[in-house]
Amino acid sequence: MGRPPLPLGTWGKIRTYELPQGGSRAVANYKDYDGVTRPVERVGTTKAKAINNLLEALRDRARRSGDGEIKAETKVSVAADMWLRSIDESSKAARTKREYRDTWNRYLATPMGHLRVRDIRVSTVNRLITETRDRNGRGAASHVKVVLSGIFALVVRHDALDKNPVREIESLGAKKRKKERTVNAKSISPILGVFHAAENAKRWDLVDMVDVLSGLGCRIGELLALDWDTSVNFDAGTIRFHGTAIRVTGRGLFVQDHTKSRAGMRTIRPPGWVMDILKRRQADAETQWVFPSATGTLRDPDNTRARFRTVVEKTPYKGLHPHDFRHYVAGVLDDAGLTAREIADYLGHERISTTQEDYMERGVVGEDVGPALAERPKIELPKDEG
């Protein structure tokens, strides 16, 4: 029975020979990653030095040949770095790339980075995801699951594991009971009243913003990316969402040339009162942005969310998020009897099914939305407790 073949990246028995001029030569057969076995040799003044020189050469050859290879002995941190680099080079949204890297650094690098790929079991992954859910919530656990699934899919493609351990985890547990929306038909008027009455909301230019959000239901990044030249068409009565404002470490604040999903790249016809607010703002505009920063530059979504929270900090609506207005608009349209397709088109949600037409063929959406949102929400100012 012949000898079993060498695994890739390994070598066989080291043989040594005395040299006529003195010293020694050490030789070993090395199995390269192209599957070809080649002899590698080194010399030294003594037999021991020749062997040491050869071992160093074999070690370095394995590193070079295996560059980009993941093996059972590879640390999970190395596989994670390879996966994150592939994500950085992909066409995924900048915010998604940032979230994946933040998730690894925040939740995974310490408990998992030092482990070897061969040490990972379904129980290891399940325990980490469960602990993240219990400590940081379902949202963080969901991100952890996505990142781990991507990392170990890469590991499987390199044949370092037979199966992706994350795929064996079915769910994150029972879903929490739905809470009542912060912004709904009952609360919309007093919430708008809080912003209209708050001096800091006026100073931070949030009053028009909450009014417009209650008619558009768009994402805050999409709203802040709107400009007068390419986004708002007063003649047609339409608004075109073509990007999102985002801040990325190392690059700063900029408008990403696409929204969260393809369906988010949309042109809508909102109710007339929204266009009236924008027309008034354009008359006073000194910058290209519809909702600029205090200095006239692109406005930061994270800072804007923080100021939202500050305005409502001491009110019954503590914790209000700009995204809550998105749910409000969806509820209004649902109550008005619009179809799921019409609501998804207006809000820029992902397609309801994979067989839906491509978003670029939808043209102007929300033709029937205007009437449903035609009545502007009333503004109920806070009562003076003094």
Side-chain angles (χ1 to χ4, degrees):
M1 183 176 178
R3 291 182 182 178
L6 290 170
L8 297 178
T10 64
W11 54 89
K13 182 179 179 180
I14 296 177
R15 309 178 300 278
T16 59
Y17 305 92
E18 297 296 324
L19 296 175
Q21 67 273 28
S24 295
R25 176 169 65 96
V27 183
N29 290 329
Y30 178 85
K31 184 71 167 287
D32 274 317
Y33 279 85
D34 59 3
V36 178
T37 301
R38 299 179 175 90
V40 179
E41 64 178 60
R42 289 294 185 272
V43 298
T45 55
T46 65
K47 179 179 177 180
K49 288 184 178 180
I51 292 175
N52 287 337
N53 291 340
L54 176 60
L55 288 173
E56 288 183 6
L58 291 169
R59 179 201 62 195
D60 294 342
R61 188 183 186 94
R63 287 176 178 173
R64 289 194 301 271
S65 301
D67 185 30
E69 294 288 335
I70 299 174
K71 299 180 282 293
E73 294 299 319
T74 302
K75 286 188 176 181
V76 175
S77 59
V78 175
D81 184 61
M82 289 175 61
W83 182 75
L84 289 170
R85 276 189 279 126
S86 72
I87 293 297
D88 287 340
E89 295 166 1
S90 72
S91 60
K92 289 186 180 295
R95 189 178 187 88
T96 299
K97 296 175 182 179
R98 184 181 69 179
E99 285 178 349
Y100 286 171
R101 190 167 290 277
D102 287 349
T103 296
W104 169 259
N105 291 334
R106 187 177 303 172
Y107 304 116
L108 297 170
T110 299
M112 184 163 282
H114 67 285
L115 298 177
R116 305 284 178 180
V117 166
R118 62 177 171 78
D119 297 327
I120 302 302
R121 301 288 184 271
V122 175
S123 59
T124 311
V125 175
N126 185 67
R127 182 173 60 254
L128 182 55
I129 293 175
T130 302
E131 289 176 353
T132 304
R133 181 197 62 193
D134 295 342
R135 293 175 183 173
N136 306 100
R138 289 178 55 84
S142 179
H143 285 152
V144 164
K145 187 176 180 181
V146 169
V147 169
L148 287 178
S149 181
I151 292 171
F152 287 106
L154 178 64
V155 169
V156 170
R157 290 197 296 274
H158 283 249
D159 295 319
L161 285 179
D162 293 330
K163 294 181 180 180
N164 187 335
V166 185
R167 290 197 171 186
E168 302 300 321
I169 300 173
E170 294 184 357
S171 70
L172 297 175
K175 290 186 176 181
K176 293 182 179 179
R177 185 171 59 88
K178 259 187 183 177
K179 296 188 299 183
E180 184 180 1
R181 298 295 184 191
T182 303
V183 186
N184 52 44
K186 183 178 180 180
S187 66
I188 183 64
S189 294
I191 286 175
L192 294 178
V194 167
F195 281 83
H196 277 257
E199 289 301 320
N200 53 3
K202 297 174 185 176
R203 185 170 65 253
W204 293 330
D205 190 21
L206 297 181
V207 177
D208 282 349
M209 189 177 294
V210 294
D211 287 349
V212 168
L213 282 173
S214 67
L216 294 182
C218 60
R219 303 173 179 93
I220 188 64
E222 295 174 345
L223 183 71
L224 300 183
L226 295 180
D227 63 81
W228 297 117
D229 295 333
T230 63
S231 305
V232 184
N233 187 329
F234 289 111
D235 293 334
T238 59
I239 294 176
R240 173 175 169 260
F241 294 103
H242 54 81
T244 186
I246 185 172
R247 182 179 292 280
V248 175
T249 303
R251 183 171 176 183
L253 183 64
F254 66 100
V255 173
Q256 179 180 271
D257 62 1
H258 54 90
T259 55
K260 183 176 181 181
S261 66
R262 293 193 308 161
M265 304 286 280
R266 64 203 186 280
T267 298
I268 66 170
R269 180 166 285 117
W273 57 266
V274 169
M275 301 304 288
D276 290 339
I277 293 174
L278 298 184
K279 192 171 292 185
R280 169 173 53 77
R281 289 185 66 85
Q282 189 194 43
D284 299 328
E286 297 179 353
T287 176
Q288 65 171 319
W289 307 111
V290 176
F291 287 97
S293 69
T295 58
T297 58
L298 182 64
R299 190 164 180 165
D300 191 319
D302 292 333
N303 291 344
T304 303
R305 294 184 189 97
R307 287 179 168 175
F308 262 74
R309 292 193 294 270
T310 300
V311 170
V312 298
E313 178 67 25
K314 297 180 180 179
T315 75
Y317 312 106
K318 181 179 179 180
L320 179 75
H321 193 285
H323 210 76
D324 292 327
F325 290 93
R326 187 167 172 79
H327 295 297
Y328 163 73
V329 170
V332 171
L333 300 183
D334 187 30
D335 292 342
L338 273 74
T339 66
R341 176 71 276 158
E342 290 171 319
I343 298 172
D345 280 345
Y346 190 74
L347 298 179
H349 284 155
E350 277 287 11
R351 294 172 298 173
I352 292 178
S353 75
T354 56
T355 58
Q356 293 284 182
E357 72 282 0
D358 191 84
Y359 74 94
M360 294 183 67
E361 298 174 356
R362 293 176 184 163
V364 177
V365 298
E367 298 286 0
D368 296 326
V369 169
L373 292 166
E375 185 176 345
R376 182 175 176 177
K378 294 180 181 178
I379 299 167
E380 183 181 313
L381 296 174
K383 295 180 180 179
D384 187 356
E385 296 182 359

